Amino acid sequence: MSTVSPLAVPFPEAPHIAGATPRIARAGYKDWGRCDLTFVELTEGTTVAGVFTKNVCCSTEVELGREQVVLGRARALVVNAGNSNAFTGYRGREAVEAIMGQVAAHLGCEPSDVFVSSTGVIGVPLPKDKARAGLDAVFAAPECSWEDAAATIGTTDTFTKGAVATAMLGDKKVTLVGIVKGSGMIAPDMATMLGYVFTDAAVAAPFLQQCLSAASDGTFNCITVDGDTSTSDTVLAFATGKAGNTPLATFDDPGADAFAAALHDVCRQLAHLVVRDGEGAQKFIEIAVTGAVSDESARRVGLAVANSPLVKTAIAGEDANWGRVVMAVGKAGEPADRDRLSIGFGGTWAARDGQPLADYDEAPVAEHLRGQDVVIEIDLGLGDGCANVWTCDLTHGYISINADYRS
Amino acid sequence: MSTVSPLAVPFPEAPHIAGATPRIARAGYKDWGRCDLTFVELTEGTTVAGVFTKNVCCSTEVELGREQVVLGRARALVVNAGNSNAFTGYRGREAVEAIMGQVAAHLGCEPSDVFVSSTGVIGVPLPKDKARAGLDAVFAAPECSWEDAAATIGTTDTFTKGAVATAMLGDKKVTLVGIVKGSGMIAPDMATMLGYVFTDAAVAAPFLQQCLSAASDGTFNCITVDGDTSTSDTVLAFATGKAGNTPLATFDDPGADAFAAALHDVCRQLAHLVVRDGEGAQKFIEIAVTGAVSDESARRVGLAVANSPLVKTAIAGEDANWGRVVMAVGKAGEPADRDRLSIGFGGTWAARDGQPLADYDEAPVAEHLRGQDVVIEIDLGLGDGCANVWTCDLTHGYISINADYRS
């Protein structure tokens, strides 16, 4: 791992999830002295939901995963680190199908019950022999911790990322553990955000999908490091059902709201961790948009600001340059009225209703911008739509990681 | 001016344009020892066309300019450098209207015949007293060269930018001179691309607008430095009619094609000059997209690649990272098929039909990437749509200019 991000947070205490058993091994996809193959065995009856990259040049793993989640069943997750298997044509697809077949034979399940993700260098087909030997090794490996699993799915991440939440479904307590990897579209090779949530709750697959899609919209789809979208981005949620609750199938079921809230909480934590490991990040930036014509419009405005290199460099320079925020709002393509627009930093308005505040006091703003956690408030003054979006600043570190390198 | 861009080119020999008289003066909008007010007097009968930023938080100057070009007549251009007058509410509008009134009284024309642009710091209303005194001074100033005018409209530009073209309309030679300022959404304050083309050709305003809109689509709308869009971007074309040609009103008129081509040529030269002065630019990058379902789709794919921080940092690092190009194509939201996609650099294919080339020779690509002018070829393999898009690399210089500064 490179120098740990200054925004890193420790891995949480992550308990065992009944019905989900992680193991790790070394397949040697790259010439590195670390485990790079993660295998999570899931009990019979485990349901699954997933959200995937919208990048049309997606990997075979994503194409297959989209088809598999429709079936709603899962018995295993395999994550290869060090080779993304993207842009590798039919040979890449053969490699994934070989993994699915080998795991299915081992567990006595359908190949479609085996979910595969790969992350790392692109354009090189995943070596089938290394995958085969790696799986043989991982089948024989002891159960590992979630922290070990989270470390093993990582590539250029500078710290290991996990999140935990619990919810009461009637008198049954259920636990959710999430792990994630990603830090921008990671250099030196194109990389990826991969996130996995495991819970012992019993949740029907369509409802799990409904909850995961909603949670992703407000979390993973509200973060950006550089506006670039990996060809392999994947978030999967697995529910083993071992907690013994009455299975959740709709929001009318007792505890369904609590479960959805816990899932949203885990996704939000994981999403923030990815931003905190953003390439070169020195500051964690929240963009809080209110007064938009709709929540979706607010999200788009927030992302336009979050993706603006000029806003991100201004925050890196601790410069309360609200003019750049105005510019980014204006280019979002969403309804906005210059003369109703207000911009603030950390609770202090710099401009209201389209004009700089006459009594604007920059001292508290300057103090706020010197911190690690920065909030930019944007009120559009048009409606009730709101959204929070998260990003990091754009620094010399980003350039060094992505440009000062020759493949 | 800061250190001159390594991609700078000299200002061309720009002849006098009959009917267009540039003058410069010092209004003192900023505390700098240079002229900052440009005034171009235009002969009676001059027609005008314009294209403006799509940023909805646009400046008063842009709002008024959009209304004025519809009338098609111009007698003067005023450009204020050092203060963009954006986000300044009614006081900003008053300042512009005062300038229009003062020039109209001086020339004996309508205020709507006077076009005003401003560029520089935002959020500070243009000081009316400085503008008034500056105009008094410029009315009395001698005619200056186009190079002096180009230097005076600049703010953080590192070199002075102009372009010249000629066309034969029957037996009449017409000349076009263009000047432009801009180098990204220029720091330390939000800045702007302003471009002006002056010609002695006689061109009806609607046809001039048609030619300028078409030329802008393939030139100014095909460049990007950081994806950020100024609130003040403006391109205006003025035709004085002094060359004595039969006025052009449609493409059926003799010489109309030649004029349109010359206007396109000037716009292309000016657009490239803006990229060559991109903040921190070390390399000029052309992205040549072919095989798209339409030209517009090709342009969008090209801009997605040109705006990708990962592609721009890869070129800065002289890294033939075609995987990042694949990623950027995939996220463009345009029709693309991974298995038909081909990527090349400077005429050498790295990947064809969705797979890395078995006999890919990186030596000529590495040689190409070491140069100042880099071409990325993208063939989508779907249709006949094509477009060229231009940008610069993303370097430590960009971060230094935009982040290592406190306002």
Side-chain angles (χ1 to χ4, degrees), chain A residues 111-124:
Chain A
S112 62
D113 296 337
V114 180
F115 289 78
V116 183
S117 304
S118 304
T119 175
V121 67
I122 78 155
V124 179

Side-chain angles (χ1 to χ4, degrees), chain A residues 52-137:
Chain A
F52 300 93
T53 181
K54 294 190 176 74
N55 193 307
V56 300
C57 293
C58 67
S59 68
T60 291
E61 285 82 341
V62 167
E63 281 182 331
L64 290 172
R66 280 201 194 104
E67 297 167 13
Q68 291 169 257
V69 289
V70 175
L71 305 175
R73 293 187 319 265
R75 287 299 311 284
L77 168 70
V78 176
V79 183
N80 305 302
N83 183 320
S84 79
N85 201 35
F87 219 63
T88 54
Y90 71 92
R91 286 177 297 167
R93 185 166 184 119
E94 282 179 354
V96 180
E97 288 174 344
I99 290 171
M100 292 165 70
Q102 185 178 352
V103 174
H106 174 70
L107 296 179
C109 67
E110 296 295 322
S112 62
D113 296 337
V114 180
F115 289 78
V116 183
S117 304
S118 304
T119 175
V121 67
I122 78 155
V124 179
L126 195 74
K128 282 193 278 190
D129 53 341
K130 290 185 178 174
R132 187 169 50 242
L135 285 174
D136 285 338

Side-chain angles (χ1 to χ4, degrees), chain A residues 58 185 310 319 338 406-407, chain B residues 58 185 310 317 319 338 407:
Chain A
C58 67
M185 271 288 307
L310 285 174
D319 175 14
R338 182 190 63 198
R406 301 267 340 251
S407 67
Chain B
C58 66
M185 270 289 308
L310 286 173
D319 175 14
R338 182 191 62 199
S407 64

Side-chain angles (χ1 to χ4, degrees), chain A residues 148-180:
Chain A
D148 288 342
T152 304
I153 68 173
T155 50
T156 59
D157 302 63
T158 77
F159 66 97
T160 303
K161 309 175 190 75
V164 178
T166 58
M168 291 304 295
L169 310 191
D171 61 349
K172 301 287 185 190
K173 178 181 166 188
V174 302
T175 304
L176 298 84
V177 169
I179 58 175
V180 71

Side-chain angles (χ1 to χ4, degrees), chain A residues 73-387:
Chain A
R73 293 187 319 265
R75 287 299 311 284
L77 168 70
V78 176
V79 183
N80 305 302
N83 183 320
S84 79
N85 201 35
F87 219 63
T88 54
Y90 71 92
R91 286 177 297 167
R93 185 166 184 119
E94 282 179 354
V96 180
E97 288 174 344
I99 290 171
M100 292 165 70
Q102 185 178 352
V103 174
H106 174 70
L107 296 179
C109 67
E110 296 295 322
S112 62
D113 296 337
V114 180
F115 289 78
V116 183
S117 304
S118 304
T119 175
V121 67
I122 78 155
V124 179
L126 195 74
K128 282 193 278 190
D129 53 341
K130 290 185 178 174
R132 187 169 50 242
L135 285 174
D136 285 338
V138 89
F139 293 156
E143 179 172 354
C144 71
S145 68
W146 291 116
E147 184 166 3
D148 288 342
T152 304
I153 68 173
T155 50
T156 59
D157 302 63
T158 77
F159 66 97
T160 303
K161 309 175 190 75
V164 178
T166 58
M168 291 304 295
L169 310 191
D171 61 349
K172 301 287 185 190
K173 178 181 166 188
V174 302
T175 304
L176 298 84
V177 169
I179 58 175
V180 71
K181 62 96 36 176
S183 72
M185 271 288 307
I186 308 163
D189 305 308
M190 184 172 58
T192 291
M193 197 206 67
L194 298 177
Y196 308 100
V197 179
F198 304 89
T199 178
D200 50 8
V203 189
F207 185 64
L208 187 61
Q209 184 67 51
Q210 188 183 345
C211 292
L212 181 65
S213 296
S216 295
D217 275 348
T219 58
F220 295 114
N221 289 336
C222 285
I223 61 169
T224 178
V225 170
D226 50 20
D228 279 339
T229 312
S230 154
T231 54
S232 310
D233 285 341
T234 297
V235 177
L236 294 169
F238 302 99
T240 66
K242 289 295 183 187
N245 61 292
T246 310
L248 301 175
T250 78
F251 272 113
D252 295 331
D253 294 332
D257 287 332
F259 175 77
L263 182 61
H264 190 281
D265 184 36
V266 167
C267 290
R268 185 188 50 75
Q269 290 182 56
L270 295 177
H272 287 194
L273 290 170
V274 172
V275 172
R276 287 184 177 279
D277 208 4
E279 292 171 341
Q282 298 285 327
K283 292 179 192 288
F284 180 86
I285 307 171
E286 172 170 295
I287 295 147
V289 182
T290 55
V293 295
S294 70
D295 290 352
E296 179 55 25
S297 181
R299 193 177 73 89
R300 291 208 187 106
V301 168
L303 284 171
V305 175
N307 279 324
S308 161
L310 285 174
V311 171
K312 293 157 76 83
T313 48
I315 300 300
E318 303 182 352
D319 175 14
N321 196 321
W322 55 268
R324 295 187 186 177
V325 179
V326 173
M327 170 282 299
V329 170
K331 74 164 185 162
E334 292 297 313
D337 180 340
R338 182 190 63 198
D339 298 333
R340 295 188 185 194
L341 183 57
S342 302
I343 309 287
F345 297 91
T348 304
W349 292 111
R352 291 221 72 154
D353 299 328
Q355 295 193 55
L357 278 186
D359 58 351
Y360 171 47
D361 177 9
E362 204 182 327
V365 171
E367 176 66 26
H368 176 70
L369 292 182
R370 279 194 290 272
Q372 268 190 343
D373 286 79
V374 170
V375 182
I376 302 176
E377 287 105 3
I378 299 166
D379 187 70
L380 296 168
L382 299 177
D384 296 327
C386 59

Side-chain angles (χ1 to χ4, degrees), chain B residues 320-344:
Chain B
N321 196 321
W322 54 268
R324 296 187 185 179
V325 179
V326 172
M327 171 282 300
V329 170
K331 72 160 187 164
E334 293 297 313
D337 180 341
R338 182 191 62 199
D339 298 333
R340 295 188 184 194
L341 183 59
S342 302
I343 309 287

